[in-house]
């Protein structure tokens, strides 16, 4: 493919406006000889003389007159294409659908606030919350989703990410459960029946690795797809659920139910559950927004992810 010098469009636009090599050279900051060489290149590229001498002035050929009507628009469009997008869009006139992929726990806890905040500032924006059956990066790469919420992994190293809040695992049991009758030890915790959440049906995780290091193993009675499912089972049984702290804390704060002296793990009266610290140490969870780098500089997407982060950080 023959290389195209888009600077020639600007040069031709100025030459046809000035109808003088000297004046065109002055406007473009070139020497008259350089401007003459540019005119020669334009003539070779178009196969037309473009400007010819008529006495002491240059006059356009019919082809040049035809091009003169199109050049200003072409020059503006070329400059727009090759100029970085700057500034934020006006949210009130932004009409776009954004797709967020997140697990059901995040959707249940945060979606209502996100929808309220985004649609308040950008009434024409639509939000689509997509399920998260796995951490496959293909939908992000193919543009099927705009933002993913969760923990970053090594499967898609090119993805951009920004942490929105830190979380950690805690245990939860129904209020009045016998597990609260004494001092919590790894042995008492492991001896309980447990319900765990796993999209892929896995029965073990970081807490089990920590227990194995001290020679203990907990008894897994049930595996459910999501953390909210685990809380439901724990509320209606004697099983102990393993969930992120935010699952209980958000519900407690929303209902004004955090009990004095119990802090982030206080009684979630609205849920009928009480949270407690694990008697073993597990890795902290860094919850992040993730997006494909092709959207990194898009003004609308940048506004959206900043608005999303603001809502999530305010709630945590």
């Amino acid at each position: 493919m023959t290389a195209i010098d888009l600077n020639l469009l600007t040069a031709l636009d100025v030459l046809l406006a000035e109808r003088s090599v000297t004046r065109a050279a002055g406007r473009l900051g070139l020497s008259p000889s350089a401007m003459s060489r540019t005119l020669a290149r334009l003539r070779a590229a178009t196969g037309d003389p473009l400007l010819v001498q008529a006495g002491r002035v240059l006059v356009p050929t019919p082809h040049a007159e035809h091009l003169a009507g199109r050049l200003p628009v072409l020059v503006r469009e070329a400059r727009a294409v090759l100029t970085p997008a700057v500034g934020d869009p006006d949210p009130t006139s932004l009409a776009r659908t954004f797709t967020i992929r997140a697990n059901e726990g995040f959707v249940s806890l945060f979606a209502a606030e996100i929808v309220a905040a985004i649609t308040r500032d950008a009434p024409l924006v639509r939000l689509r919350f997509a399920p998260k059956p796995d951490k496959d990066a293909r939908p992000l790469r193919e543009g099927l989703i705009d933002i993913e919420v969760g923990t970053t992994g090594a499967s898609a190293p090119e993805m951009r990410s920004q942490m929105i809040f830190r979380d950690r695992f805690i245990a939860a049991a129904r209020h009045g459960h016998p597990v609260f009758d004494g001092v919590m030890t790894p042995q008492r915790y492991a001896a309980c029946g447990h319900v765990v959440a796993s999209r892929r049906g896995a029965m073990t995780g970081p807490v089990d690795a920590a227990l194995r290091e001290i020679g203990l193993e907990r008894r897994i009675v049930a595996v459910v797809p999501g953390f909210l499912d685990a809380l439901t089972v724990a509320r209606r049984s004697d099983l102990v659920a393993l969930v992120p702290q935010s699952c209980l804390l958000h519900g407690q704060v929303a209902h004004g139910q955090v009990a004095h002296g119990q802090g982030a793990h206080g009684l979630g009266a609205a849920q009928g559950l009480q949270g407690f610290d694990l008697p073993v140490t597990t890795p902290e969870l860094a919850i992040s927004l993730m997006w494909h780098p092709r959207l990194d500089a898009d003004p609308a997407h940048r506004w959206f992810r900043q608005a999303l982060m603001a809502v999530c950080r305010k709630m945590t």
Side-chain angles (χ1 to χ4, degrees):
M1 181 177 178
T2 304
I4 299 174
D5 184 355
L6 293 180
N7 288 320
L8 291 177
L9 291 176
T10 300
L12 180 56
D13 188 35
V14 173
L15 277 167
L16 294 180
E18 296 293 342
R19 299 190 183 188
S20 164
V21 170
T22 301
R23 289 196 299 273
R27 279 183 57 181
L28 294 175
L30 300 174
S31 66
S33 60
M35 194 75 246
S36 294
R37 290 194 295 272
T38 299
L39 177 56
R41 291 178 61 198
L42 283 163
R43 286 167 171 165
T46 62
D48 187 89
L50 299 174
L51 290 166
V52 297
Q53 202 75 37
R56 303 179 69 176
V57 298
L58 293 176
V59 295
T61 65
H63 183 57
E65 289 180 338
H66 172 68
L67 293 177
R70 301 169 57 194
L71 275 172
V73 174
L74 287 173
V75 170
R76 284 197 303 271
E77 290 184 351
R79 286 176 177 167
V81 168
L82 299 177
T83 299
V86 295
D88 292 328
D90 176 11
T92 61
S93 60
L94 179 61
R96 185 158 161 178
T97 299
F98 293 101
T99 300
I100 306 166
R101 184 170 73 170
N103 64 41
E104 63 176 3
F106 179 88
V107 174
S108 177
L109 298 175
F110 292 91
E113 295 290 339
I114 291 171
V115 170
I118 295 295
T119 56
R120 180 187 63 241
D121 296 336
L124 300 180
V125 164
R126 296 190 300 177
L127 300 175
R128 178 190 296 118
F129 289 89
K132 188 177 179 179
D134 51 45
K135 301 188 77 169
D136 182 15
R138 181 181 58 83
L140 279 169
R141 289 172 172 152
E142 295 181 1
L144 300 176
I145 61 175
D146 296 284
I147 287 283
E148 176 163 342
V149 181
T151 55
T152 59
S155 61
E158 80 274 22
M159 296 301 168
R160 301 285 190 266
S161 66
Q162 186 162 0
M163 190 185 71
I164 48 177
F165 64 91
R166 294 189 183 277
D167 210 343
R168 64 181 181 132
F169 281 115
I170 63 170
R174 63 173 178 81
H175 186 47
H177 193 290
V179 75
F180 298 113
D181 292 341
V183 177
M184 181 56 58
T185 64
Q187 290 75 13
R188 289 190 69 234
Y189 173 75
C192 295
H194 294 265
V195 53
V196 299
S198 172
R199 292 190 303 266
R200 293 180 292 275
M203 285 196 174
T204 59
V207 70
D208 300 285
L211 288 170
R212 278 197 299 272
E213 289 183 359
I214 54 177
L216 297 173
E217 181 179 357
R218 61 177 178 158
R219 181 169 60 92
I220 308 298
V221 176
V223 180
V224 292
F227 295 120
L228 298 185
D229 302 315
L231 290 176
T232 299
V233 172
R235 184 187 303 114
R236 299 177 180 177
S237 70
D238 281 339
L239 298 183
V240 174
L242 182 72
V243 297
Q245 172 184 309
S246 58
C247 285
L248 280 184
L249 177 60
H250 177 69
Q252 294 160 3
V253 172
H255 294 88
Q257 298 290 349
V258 177
H260 177 70
Q262 293 176 313
H265 313 301
L267 173 62
Q271 298 174 307
L273 294 168
Q274 184 172 341
F276 60 93
D277 288 328
L278 295 173
V280 292
T281 302
T282 58
E284 189 178 58
L285 303 172
I287 308 303
S288 300
L289 299 184
M290 291 161 277
W291 63 94
H292 195 273
R294 65 185 179 80
L295 294 170
D296 204 39
D298 177 57
H301 193 275
R302 183 172 59 244
W303 171 85
F304 175 63
R305 60 182 184 259
Q306 288 173 348
L308 203 58
M309 283 187 285
V311 174
C312 293
R313 287 174 175 173
K314 180 180 178 180
M315 294 179 64
T316 54

